Amino acid sequence: MSAVQSISGKGHAANAETYDVVVVGAGFAGMYMLHRLRGLGLSVRVFEQGGDVGGTWYWNRYPGARCDVESMQYSYSFSDELQQEWDWSERYAPQPEILKYANHVADRFKLRPDIQLDTRVDRAAFDESANIWSVTTSDGKTVTAKFVVLATGCLSNAKVPEIKGLSDFKGKVYHTGHWPHEPVDFAWLRVGVIGTGSSAIQSVPVIAAQAKHLTVFQRTANFSIPARNTALTPEERDSSRSNYPEIRRIAREEMRNGIVQELPDRGALDDGANARRAKYEARWAYGGLTFMGVYNNLVLDKAANDTAADFVREKIAEIVSNPQTAKLLQPDNHPIGSKRICVDTDYYATFNRPNVTLVDIRSNPIEEITSNAVRTVGRDHEVDALVLATGFDAMTGSVAKIDICGRDGQTLNQKWAEGPKTYLGLMSAGFPNLFIITGPGSPSVLSNMIVSIEQHVDWIADCVAYMRDRGLEVMEASKEAEDKWVAHVNEVAHSTLYPQANSWYMGANIPGKPQIFMPYIGGVGAYRQICNNVAAKGYEGFAMAAAEQVQKMAVSS
Ligand code: NA7
């Protein structure tokens, strides 16, 4: 039974299918959104560009791909049966297992009948006279819906670099974010990997073990912490499962990044050199993203940050035998943690292998790619296959690919031309009834994504139910609330060291993209509280309309 009975369909093709909600994307966000909306009795259509569910885990199937958040925490919490029955095999789940989990969720909750695969959403246009969205897909069809939810993912628009001659290369070219579904065999091949972000750091050790020779082209060295990945024992799984209510609560409410960890009670300079070193050693031995949680001021105070950065640089020098290679691998142009810290298995040690070469393309840039080589100034590096580990047009790229037209004919791309503007990351003024999951202006990529996805989905579902119960038709972020939020996001970001790096958080990896710090850095706990307070005050900062009546809500301060 449809909750929004008043859809008129006025002005639209008589035969257009009509839904209460269209969801774009069937990754973890889109699947849970579908589940929640169906639970409200709404009619929902999910369009997914890929050939199956799973989103980022469907596309990112490069060798060595795995989550950098521990499995027992990178999982849905909305169903206790689900979290009790699923067995994660390793501390950090490999991509095939996460994809299997996504498929299990789709089957277990019978989501598939409402998901249309292999279908890209090309256009969404809001009809102001009917208060309805028309959504046009790559199969040439148009459907209408009261609400549209963009569950398009933050890291799903793979970025192919504009390097001269790339199309002339005779060998195979792969992008880590768009990896083939068939097995790729690098045995006996000379392989080149361009890029040294998280995807390269995970794949380089695996490719090096297969390839005849591997050449890694590095523009910016990155900080990486050993994962210390290992099989999970039944006891470890049971321990998490029996404590899940508390683990999930702490992740949501008390942690900045949605990952349960011991919270530091002091800054790096409050300890003497020996005590500090002992703490860094302990976290290095423990492994993983929580390294940045040793002290409470590592992303706030450059002097504090330097102590952690120096420690990791020393570790790199200890691991890598060739001093020149070690020096190149030591990051020197950004504070540690200001780019997403990487988590690896044997990355630095891979450069001790006789079949691996590191090429510094910062001081000696790639000039072009020829039919069989990557040409840097004065040298051809011959390769048989190329792996582009060059990242994504993050956070906004997938949204920008859809032609989204809001009030007064304005497109979202026009509105965001100087950087994304949202209220709470959830809505953008001028685009009524259009929600974004983990969009710019929310903690999103700075957090355990599943924690942030569940929070947004629950908030959106509750909001739609609130509107239904009150006969409200249209909801829209107010310009004033949005401006204040954008200023707040910016202010919080600039009180940290994050903006000092040319990161994809800033849009700095895409030529011409406005450089604005996109995610909200205030922490998932504080952010959740803000969103809850907004809802408790009748969706403060949003305008809501019932029939012809528009209630202008007070603007959040
Ligand atoms: P990232 O982290 O954006 O890394 C991309 C890498 O590719 C990075 O080293 C870039 O160097 C390099 N790059 C990008 N364009 C070029 C060109 N044109 N020439 C040479 N090198 C280039 O993407 P990942 O896929 O590794 O990881 C993304 C996130 O996914 C990660 O943070 C995790 O959250 C999961 P640069 O730093 O720009 O000098």
Side-chain angles (χ1 to χ4, degrees):
M1 174 75 163
S2 169
V4 186
Q5 296 292 323
S6 50
I7 293 172
S8 68
K10 196 166 56 171
H12 301 282
N15 297 330
E17 291 166 28
T18 294
Y19 299 93
D20 294 320
V21 188
V22 159
V23 176
V24 189
F28 282 96
M31 286 201 295
Y32 181 43
M33 191 77 250
L34 168 61
H35 178 68
R36 277 300 316 268
L37 293 170
R38 274 203 329 208
L40 293 172
L42 299 173
S43 61
V44 187
R45 193 75 181 148
V46 180
F47 293 111
E48 166 56 54
Q49 182 172 1
D52 211 335
V53 299
T56 199
W57 300 108
Y58 174 84
W59 299 108
N60 284 269
R61 37 179 91 214
Y62 58 82
R66 63 177 72 241
C67 190
D68 57 8
V69 176
E70 296 189 27
S71 319
M72 298 307 292
Q73 298 196 51
Y74 188 82
S75 53
Y76 285 122
S77 70
F78 70 82
S79 159
D80 193 45
E81 293 79 17
L82 174 66
Q83 66 185 8
Q84 295 300 332
E85 77 196 8
W86 183 262
D87 276 340
W88 292 108
S89 65
E90 295 176 59
R91 181 176 172 191
Y92 299 94
Q95 173 271 337
E97 191 170 331
I98 306 176
L99 190 57
K100 202 167 145 203
Y101 173 74
N103 276 276
H104 170 73
V105 170
D107 294 332
R108 193 191 191 290
F109 296 96
K110 300 185 172 45
L111 302 177
R112 295 193 192 273
D114 293 321
I115 300 174
Q116 186 174 324
L117 300 170
D118 294 311
T119 310
R120 196 182 59 235
V121 169
D122 288 332
R123 184 156 205 271
F126 186 69
D127 178 341
E128 294 185 61
S129 63
N131 289 329
I132 201 160
W133 283 94
S134 288
V135 177
T136 306
T137 46
S138 51
D139 55 3
K141 294 196 177 136
T142 296
V143 302
T144 59
K146 194 68 165 172
F147 298 95
V148 172
V149 180
L150 300 176
T152 39
C154 299
L155 296 165
S156 31
N157 192 19
K159 183 197 136 217
V160 174
E162 284 157 29
I163 302 177
K164 189 177 151 201
L166 185 55
S167 57
D168 301 332
F169 184 66
K170 291 279 186 289
K172 288 250 169 66
V173 179
Y174 305 94
H175 193 293
T176 47
H178 212 112
W179 201 261
H181 289 232
E182 310 74 52
V184 175
D185 186 3
F186 289 122
W188 310 110
L189 296 184
R190 296 165 301 174
V191 181
V193 172
I194 300 180
T196 49
S198 179
S199 302
I201 281 175
Q202 289 187 335
S203 57
V204 155
V206 184
I207 298 173
Q210 295 173 4
K212 183 172 163 199
H213 194 89
L214 172 64
T215 307
V216 179
F217 297 89
Q218 173 186 277
R219 191 163 68 182
T220 308
N222 265 310
F223 292 97
S224 188
I225 308 297
R228 313 282 181 211
N229 188 38
T230 176
L232 282 173
T233 64
E235 294 72 34
E236 284 168 329
R237 282 196 291 262
D238 286 348
S239 157
S240 292
R241 282 177 180 146
S242 53
N243 291 308
Y244 255 143
E246 187 59 359
I247 290 172
R248 303 299 200 186
R249 189 197 63 75
I250 294 171
R252 290 181 193 126
E253 294 175 11
E254 293 182 15
M255 296 295 132
R256 292 180 75 79
N257 61 4
I259 301 171
V260 177
Q261 58 191 293
E262 211 178 304
L263 286 182
D265 62 353
R266 61 183 64 203
L269 305 177
D270 297 332
D271 274 336
N274 291 343
R276 198 164 50 228
R277 177 149 202 111
K279 285 185 183 171
Y280 286 143
E281 289 284 4
R283 287 281 174 123
W284 181 266
Y286 178 74
L289 285 178
T290 62
F291 183 83
M292 288 304 291
V294 179
Y295 290 110
N296 60 19
N297 60 348
L298 292 183
V299 295
L300 300 174
D301 178 336
K302 180 66 169 56
N305 187 284
D306 285 344
T307 65
D310 286 344
F311 175 84
V312 175
R313 283 190 281 261
E314 278 173 35
K315 286 291 180 195
I316 297 169
E318 274 172 29
I319 297 167
V320 180
S321 329
N322 179 320
Q324 223 180 330
T325 308
K327 181 95 187 96
L328 276 178
L329 288 167
Q330 289 171 326
D332 62 2
N333 70 349
H334 61 279
I336 185 169
S338 60
K339 288 185 168 208
R340 188 171 171 117
I341 202 159
C342 302
V343 176
D344 72 277
T345 298
D346 295 335
Y347 177 66
Y348 295 120
T350 296
F351 292 92
N352 293 336
R353 294 178 63 108
N355 70 332
V356 176
T357 310
L358 181 66
V359 173
D360 172 17
I361 55 167
R362 182 165 61 171
S363 57
N364 196 6
I366 295 174
E367 286 189 324
E368 64 177 313
I369 291 176
T370 66
S371 63
N372 66 343
V374 177
R375 180 169 292 162
T376 56
V377 183
R379 169 117 200 243
D380 276 8
H381 305 271
E382 288 192 12
V383 289
D384 306 307
L386 260 182
V387 173
L388 306 174
T390 44
F392 303 88
D393 184 354
M395 299 204 76
T396 55
S398 304
V399 175
K401 273 166 97 173
I402 308 170
D403 178 20
I404 300 172
C405 192
R407 283 201 195 283
D408 305 321
Q410 187 189 37
T411 67
L412 197 61
N413 284 334
Q414 285 167 341
K415 180 173 171 193
W416 287 7
E418 283 160 20
K421 290 197 182 78
T422 67
Y423 177 37
L424 300 174
L426 282 159
M427 279 194 146
S428 193
F431 297 83
N433 291 3
L434 177 80
F435 294 103
I436 311 165
I437 299 181
T438 60
S442 73
S444 183
V445 290
L446 294 175
S447 68
N448 177 349
M449 284 304 284
I450 300 203
V451 169
S452 288
I453 283 170
E454 287 192 327
Q455 185 247 331
H456 267 186
V457 168
D458 288 338
W459 192 94
I460 293 167
D462 292 349
C463 176
V464 171
Y466 173 97
M467 291 176 71
R468 173 186 62 182
D469 295 347
R470 287 159 183 77
L472 297 165
E473 291 264 310
V474 184
M475 171 183 192
E476 185 176 348
S478 85
K479 172 92 173 55
E480 295 75 14
E482 179 171 284
D483 287 346
K484 280 191 180 170
W485 184 251
V486 169
H488 175 61
V489 170
N490 202 32
E491 187 189 325
V492 180
H494 285 274
S495 67
T496 72
L497 303 174
Y498 278 87
Q500 292 188 18
N502 287 327
S503 66
W504 55 258
Y505 296 141
M506 295 283 292
N509 63 329
I510 302 294
K513 187 166 174 171
Q515 296 205 13
I516 284 171
F517 195 82
M518 292 185 282
Y520 177 55
I521 227 167
V524 298
Y527 173 78
R528 175 182 296 264
Q529 201 54 54
I530 294 169
C531 292
N532 289 350
N533 289 344
V534 163
K537 291 181 186 167
Y539 295 91
E540 185 177 57
F542 293 95
M544 286 181 165
E548 303 305 310
Q549 281 265 305
V550 177
Q551 306 170 351
K552 284 275 178 201
M553 312 302 289
V555 174
S556 178
S557 57

